[in-house]
Amino acid sequence: MTDETERDQEAVSKFVESFAAQLVEAGMQRMPARVFAALLSSDAGVMTSGELGAQLRISPAAVSGAVRYLAQTHMVSREREPGSRRERYRVQGNQWYEALTNREAVLKRWEAALREGVVSLGAETPAGRRMAETLAFFEFVDGEIAAMMERWRVHRETRFGGPT
């Protein structure tokens, strides 16, 4: 394992900011994107609030807000340091899998709302047909995500070993 102190810290910092910028462009908030990129680029995949603040030169409040968002989206988890009250934050190798599969609940809520919309608007009206097509799209995406996640699970086990 590479000792992180031997790394070119300027290169690491450039990567973190570059990857975070890509995440922001894709719709993630700036501070959570920076915190996520910092965690992802650390060998341990675990950092304390103080470590994140020092590396990113941000306040404890900024770390806290970013971690809250990342935890809600299942991209990081919180854990206590053994024998301490301090929390540390962990990014898993399967965070993308978890984040995407946890979107299923959102899709189900959208589908339910769209079904109600089709009934309310009338399936034969232009708006009802548009709503039905939107519903069909989300039902299709939901099924495709489930199938894709199963293929990923098998692929990951083959390539990296162990369960997701």
Side-chain angles (χ1 to χ4, degrees):
M1 184 188 289
T2 304
D3 182 353
E4 290 186 24
T5 59
E6 294 176 14
R7 291 186 179 167
D8 178 346
Q9 292 304 312
E10 186 175 331
V12 172
S13 182
K14 283 182 181 178
F15 164 77
V16 166
E17 296 304 327
S18 173
F19 188 57
Q22 294 299 315
L23 293 171
V24 168
E25 192 171 308
M28 187 182 280
Q29 298 170 11
R30 183 173 180 267
M31 207 52 67
R34 293 182 71 215
V35 167
F36 180 75
L39 283 166
L40 191 62
S41 67
S42 72
D43 279 340
V46 176
M47 297 175 81
T48 65
S49 178
E51 291 166 337
L52 285 163
Q55 179 178 336
L56 299 172
R57 296 182 184 99
I58 59 176
S59 71
V63 171
S64 178
V67 168
R68 186 177 325 102
Y69 172 86
L70 292 167
Q72 288 172 347
T73 58
H74 305 280
M75 294 186 74
V76 302
S77 59
R78 298 172 191 248
E79 56 189 45
R80 291 267 183 219
E81 284 189 353
S84 170
R85 291 179 46 188
R86 279 194 329 179
E87 283 189 330
R88 55 188 185 182
Y89 311 108
R90 177 179 301 278
V91 65
Q92 305 290 338
N94 65 345
Q95 76 279 349
W96 298 113
Y97 178 91
E98 292 296 323
L100 195 52
T101 55
N102 284 309
R103 296 284 185 223
E104 182 179 10
V106 172
L107 287 176
K108 294 294 185 198
R109 287 194 307 269
W110 289 355
E111 289 171 18
L114 289 164
R115 268 188 211 89
E116 186 178 314
V118 170
V119 170
S120 297
L121 297 167
E124 298 307 316
T125 67
R129 283 192 299 276
R130 194 169 44 253
M131 196 75 53
E133 184 176 344
T134 303
L135 171 60
F137 172 78
F138 283 116
E139 290 171 334
F140 175 81
V141 167
D142 191 27
E144 289 298 306
I145 288 173
M148 182 179 62
M149 291 296 97
E150 178 57 23
R151 289 191 307 272
W152 166 249
R153 187 191 61 72
V154 170
H155 177 77
R156 182 181 185 276
E157 281 186 25
T158 302
R159 186 160 179 192
F160 298 105
T164 36

